[in-house]
Short mmCIF file of all heavy atoms in Angstrom, two decimals:
data_model
loop_
_atom_site.label_atom_id
_atom_site.label_comp_id
_atom_site.label_asym_id
_atom_site.label_seq_id
_atom_site.Cartn_x
_atom_site.Cartn_y
_atom_site.Cartn_z
N ILE A 131 47.45 -93.64 -110.30
CA ILE A 131 47.74 -92.34 -109.77
C ILE A 131 48.83 -92.39 -108.78
O ILE A 131 48.86 -93.19 -107.82
CB ILE A 131 46.47 -91.75 -109.11
CG1 ILE A 131 45.33 -91.55 -110.13
CG2 ILE A 131 46.81 -90.43 -108.39
CD1 ILE A 131 44.06 -91.15 -109.54
N ILE A 132 49.92 -91.58 -108.89
CA ILE A 132 51.07 -91.53 -108.12
C ILE A 132 50.98 -90.22 -107.34
O ILE A 132 50.96 -89.17 -107.93
CB ILE A 132 52.35 -91.63 -108.88
CG1 ILE A 132 52.35 -92.83 -109.87
CG2 ILE A 132 53.59 -91.68 -107.94
CD1 ILE A 132 52.08 -94.15 -109.25
N HIS A 133 50.91 -90.26 -106.03
CA HIS A 133 50.74 -89.01 -105.17
C HIS A 133 51.97 -88.04 -105.21
O HIS A 133 51.75 -86.89 -105.40
CB HIS A 133 50.46 -89.49 -103.70
CG HIS A 133 50.01 -88.34 -102.91
ND1 HIS A 133 50.92 -87.45 -102.32
CD2 HIS A 133 48.76 -87.93 -102.48
CE1 HIS A 133 50.21 -86.56 -101.57
NE2 HIS A 133 48.94 -86.87 -101.63
N ARG A 134 53.18 -88.57 -105.01
CA ARG A 134 54.36 -87.82 -105.04
C ARG A 134 54.60 -86.77 -104.05
O ARG A 134 55.59 -85.99 -104.13
CB ARG A 134 54.60 -87.21 -106.48
CG ARG A 134 54.59 -88.21 -107.57
CD ARG A 134 55.12 -87.75 -108.92
NE ARG A 134 54.65 -86.53 -109.38
CZ ARG A 134 55.24 -85.91 -110.47
NH1 ARG A 134 56.18 -86.39 -111.09
NH2 ARG A 134 54.76 -84.74 -110.84
N ASP A 135 53.80 -86.72 -102.98
CA ASP A 135 54.10 -85.76 -101.86
C ASP A 135 53.57 -86.28 -100.56
O ASP A 135 52.86 -85.58 -99.84
CB ASP A 135 53.50 -84.41 -102.18
CG ASP A 135 54.14 -83.29 -101.29
OD1 ASP A 135 55.23 -83.50 -100.76
OD2 ASP A 135 53.47 -82.17 -101.22
N ILE A 136 53.90 -87.57 -100.27
CA ILE A 136 53.48 -88.06 -99.00
C ILE A 136 54.38 -87.54 -97.89
O ILE A 136 55.57 -87.58 -97.96
CB ILE A 136 53.64 -89.71 -98.98
CG1 ILE A 136 52.89 -90.30 -100.14
CG2 ILE A 136 53.28 -90.28 -97.67
CD1 ILE A 136 51.39 -90.18 -100.01
N LYS A 137 53.69 -86.91 -96.93
CA LYS A 137 54.38 -86.38 -95.73
C LYS A 137 53.36 -86.18 -94.63
O LYS A 137 52.10 -86.25 -94.93
CB LYS A 137 54.97 -85.01 -96.07
CG LYS A 137 54.03 -83.90 -96.57
CD LYS A 137 54.76 -82.63 -97.04
CE LYS A 137 53.76 -81.64 -97.54
NZ LYS A 137 54.44 -80.44 -97.98
N PRO A 138 53.81 -85.95 -93.38
CA PRO A 138 52.85 -85.91 -92.26
C PRO A 138 51.75 -84.89 -92.43
O PRO A 138 50.56 -85.14 -92.04
CB PRO A 138 53.77 -85.64 -91.03
CG PRO A 138 55.11 -86.17 -91.44
CD PRO A 138 55.14 -85.94 -92.96
N SER A 139 52.02 -83.74 -93.00
CA SER A 139 50.99 -82.76 -93.17
C SER A 139 50.00 -83.03 -94.21
O SER A 139 48.94 -82.39 -94.27
CB SER A 139 51.60 -81.35 -93.40
OG SER A 139 52.37 -81.36 -94.58
N ASN A 140 50.26 -84.02 -95.07
CA ASN A 140 49.32 -84.44 -96.14
C ASN A 140 48.51 -85.72 -95.65
O ASN A 140 47.91 -86.33 -96.55
CB ASN A 140 50.03 -84.65 -97.42
CG ASN A 140 50.40 -83.32 -98.10
OD1 ASN A 140 49.80 -82.27 -97.78
ND2 ASN A 140 51.28 -83.42 -99.03
N VAL A 141 48.63 -86.02 -94.48
CA VAL A 141 47.81 -87.16 -93.91
C VAL A 141 46.99 -86.66 -92.69
O VAL A 141 47.56 -86.22 -91.69
CB VAL A 141 48.73 -88.29 -93.47
CG1 VAL A 141 47.91 -89.52 -92.90
CG2 VAL A 141 49.60 -88.78 -94.67
N LEU A 142 45.67 -86.58 -92.87
CA LEU A 142 44.78 -86.12 -91.80
C LEU A 142 44.28 -87.25 -90.94
O LEU A 142 44.13 -88.40 -91.44
CB LEU A 142 43.66 -85.33 -92.40
CG LEU A 142 44.03 -84.14 -93.22
CD1 LEU A 142 42.70 -83.40 -93.75
CD2 LEU A 142 44.82 -83.19 -92.47
N ILE A 143 43.92 -86.99 -89.72
CA ILE A 143 43.48 -87.98 -88.76
C ILE A 143 42.05 -87.60 -88.36
O ILE A 143 41.69 -86.48 -88.02
CB ILE A 143 44.32 -88.01 -87.52
CG1 ILE A 143 45.83 -88.21 -87.93
CG2 ILE A 143 43.88 -89.03 -86.54
CD1 ILE A 143 46.78 -87.95 -86.89
N THR A 144 41.12 -88.60 -88.40
CA THR A 144 39.74 -88.41 -87.92
C THR A 144 39.72 -88.56 -86.38
O THR A 144 40.65 -89.17 -85.79
CB THR A 144 38.80 -89.42 -88.52
OG1 THR A 144 39.11 -90.76 -88.08
CG2 THR A 144 38.86 -89.37 -90.01
N PRO A 145 38.67 -88.18 -85.71
CA PRO A 145 38.56 -88.40 -84.27
C PRO A 145 38.59 -89.86 -83.86
O PRO A 145 39.00 -90.27 -82.81
CB PRO A 145 37.11 -87.80 -83.95
CG PRO A 145 37.00 -86.71 -84.96
CD PRO A 145 37.62 -87.26 -86.25
N SER A 146 38.18 -90.80 -84.85
CA SER A 146 38.23 -92.25 -84.52
C SER A 146 39.53 -92.84 -84.96
O SER A 146 39.69 -93.99 -85.09
CB SER A 146 37.07 -92.95 -85.23
OG SER A 146 37.05 -92.74 -86.57
#
Side-chain angles (χ1 to χ4, degrees):
I131 295 173
I132 310 303
H133 189 280
R134 301 198 311 172
D135 197 18
I136 303 292
K137 60 184 178 182
S139 61
N140 285 342
V141 179
L142 299 182
I143 303 165
T144 68
S146 58

